[in-house]
Amino acid sequence: MRLFVQIPCLNEEGHVAEAVRSIPREVPGFDEVRVLVIDDGSDDATAAKAHEAGADHVVRNPVNHGLAFTYLRGLEECLARGADVIVNYDADSQYVAEDIAALTEPILDGRAELVVGARPISEIEHFSPAKKLFQKLGSFVVRRMSGVLVEDAPSGFRAISRRAAARLYVFSPYTYTLETLIQAGRSNIPVVSVPVRVNPPVRPSRLVRSTAGYIFRSAGTIIRITFLYSPFRVLLWLAVVIGLPGVIAIARFLYFYARGDGSGHVQSLVLGSGMVGMAAVLVIGGMLADLLASNRKLLQDIRARLVEDRIGRDSGD
């Protein structure tokens, strides 16, 4: 069994070496542990520092593509090099690297294919009360929408099996954490959480510049992903919200018309007809979007098979 620990980086020359050196080179259940650093177009000496610290592989994006793209590329690079399990680790060593053993254990036991490290949110001193509240609220929303029981949805400290890594794909340009959980839930990939420890912060978060901004962008990601994976359900609910008042308005006109007073309530008929027409358009659009979503899922399955076939050829399996 081969374990790969991938470390996405952007201008981390001051921290990446410590992150690489902190990775344990012996983890129970694995014959080999390798470290892969993905430099997302840094303009400093991040790549050189990673090499000097002993990273086994360093790949570099020519330009900055963002965390989600870099995470996905890291998975593909690890798979191409024969990874059986992949752990994602932050370049600022936010998490305690010794917990990699606990993170990979559910995969080795066959209980999960994706494991999320759950931070002790309530005990983290540098998290403000508002951030703690919204971290928990965000995890609750993701649990409801994905159907997976995760305690810390935004956590980036994760372990993923080779099979699951080949099937997940990130569409969001912002972050991979929420989307991969929703996608895993809808793809029947077993997910579990395990408690992990955190280190004191060495720099401010680059992803969460402000709590309000993070909430706004995360909410946008959740809405977009929900529409991407369940377009008919979303548009059907919108059709109900718009169409029901229209039906009531038409019923109001018919009531007065039956009483011989319809001429004074034509505006109810016009408004109601327009709203019912809009609802009908939304339902038809939902059906078409659902067909497109089915086609996207088929393409995603084809991609997964191509990735697995490539892995098999490269490994001689």
Side-chain angles (χ1 to χ4, degrees):
M1 291 284 286
R2 181 177 292 177
L3 171 66
F4 267 69
V5 179
Q6 68 170 32
I7 306 177
C9 295
L10 173 63
N11 295 331
E12 294 283 6
E13 64 177 0
H15 307 111
V16 67
E18 180 61 29
V20 171
R21 286 193 289 264
S22 70
I23 303 301
R25 290 299 183 152
E26 293 185 2
V27 177
F30 294 96
D31 303 311
E32 185 179 8
V33 178
R34 304 186 72 82
V35 177
L36 182 142
V37 172
I38 315 102
D39 182 357
D40 188 23
S42 298
D43 54 16
D44 62 5
T46 294
K49 294 294 184 180
H51 273 298
E52 294 172 4
D56 300 287
H57 312 278
V58 178
V59 295
R60 190 173 189 276
N61 297 333
V63 296
N64 176 253
H65 288 285
L67 179 59
F69 177 91
T70 303
Y71 170 79
L72 186 64
R73 185 186 179 190
L75 293 184
E76 294 175 346
E77 293 287 348
C78 292
L79 291 174
R81 290 166 171 77
D84 294 294
V85 178
I86 303 168
V87 167
N88 190 77
Y89 189 74
D90 285 1
D92 61 353
S93 302
Q94 176 184 172
Y95 307 92
V96 176
E98 284 76 10
D99 288 339
I100 289 177
L103 202 65
T104 56
E105 184 178 354
I107 296 178
L108 295 174
D109 293 344
R111 293 185 286 117
E113 292 188 54
L114 175 61
V115 184
V116 181
R119 296 165 293 181
I121 300 296
S122 300
E123 303 173 12
I124 300 179
E125 296 181 357
H126 61 276
F127 277 14
S128 67
K131 186 172 182 179
K132 292 178 181 179
L133 174 62
F134 286 115
Q135 288 273 2
K136 293 179 180 179
L137 180 60
S139 296
F140 171 77
V141 172
V142 171
R143 284 197 298 270
R144 296 287 296 178
M145 301 188 71
S146 66
V148 298
L149 300 177
V150 290
E151 299 177 14
D152 186 8
S155 172
F157 192 29
R158 303 180 174 197
I160 185 170
S161 70
R162 178 171 67 176
R163 176 181 176 276
R167 279 162 172 74
L168 294 182
Y169 189 85
V170 182
F171 294 93
S172 170
Y174 178 51
T175 179
Y176 62 90
T177 55
L178 306 181
E179 180 174 352
T180 49
L181 287 175
I182 294 173
Q183 192 179 136
R186 298 188 182 277
S187 301
N188 296 318
I189 295 175
V191 181
V192 300
S193 292
V194 298
V196 295
R197 296 165 292 172
V198 295
N199 293 313
V202 296
R203 61 163 173 75
S205 173
R206 294 174 179 170
L207 187 65
V208 185
R209 299 184 184 276
S210 69
T211 301
Y214 178 75
I215 293 169
F216 179 79
R217 299 188 71 171
S218 296
T221 298
I222 291 173
I223 293 172
R224 180 176 179 272
I225 297 304
T226 302
F227 183 79
L228 183 67
Y229 288 95
S230 302
F232 182 71
R233 181 187 301 177
V234 174
L235 291 179
L236 182 61
W237 276 108
L238 286 176
V240 170
V241 171
I242 294 175
L244 186 58
V247 172
I248 294 174
I250 293 174
R252 179 178 182 272
F253 168 79
L254 293 175
Y255 170 77
F256 284 107
Y257 181 80
R259 296 183 58 183
D261 190 24
S263 60
H265 301 280
V266 176
Q267 65 273 20
S268 295
L269 178 62
V270 174
L271 179 61
S273 298
M275 297 181 74
V276 170
M278 291 175 60
V281 171
L282 286 172
V283 171
I284 295 172
M287 292 178 179
L288 295 175
D290 196 55
L291 291 175
L292 292 175
S294 299
N295 186 61
R296 177 202 52 74
K297 187 176 185 303
L298 177 61
L299 292 175
Q300 185 177 332
D301 291 340
I302 293 173
R303 173 189 174 275
R305 292 179 183 274
L306 291 174
V307 171
E308 290 178 327
D309 183 61
R310 176 191 173 189
I311 296 169
R313 289 198 308 269
D314 290 344
S315 63
D317 186 2

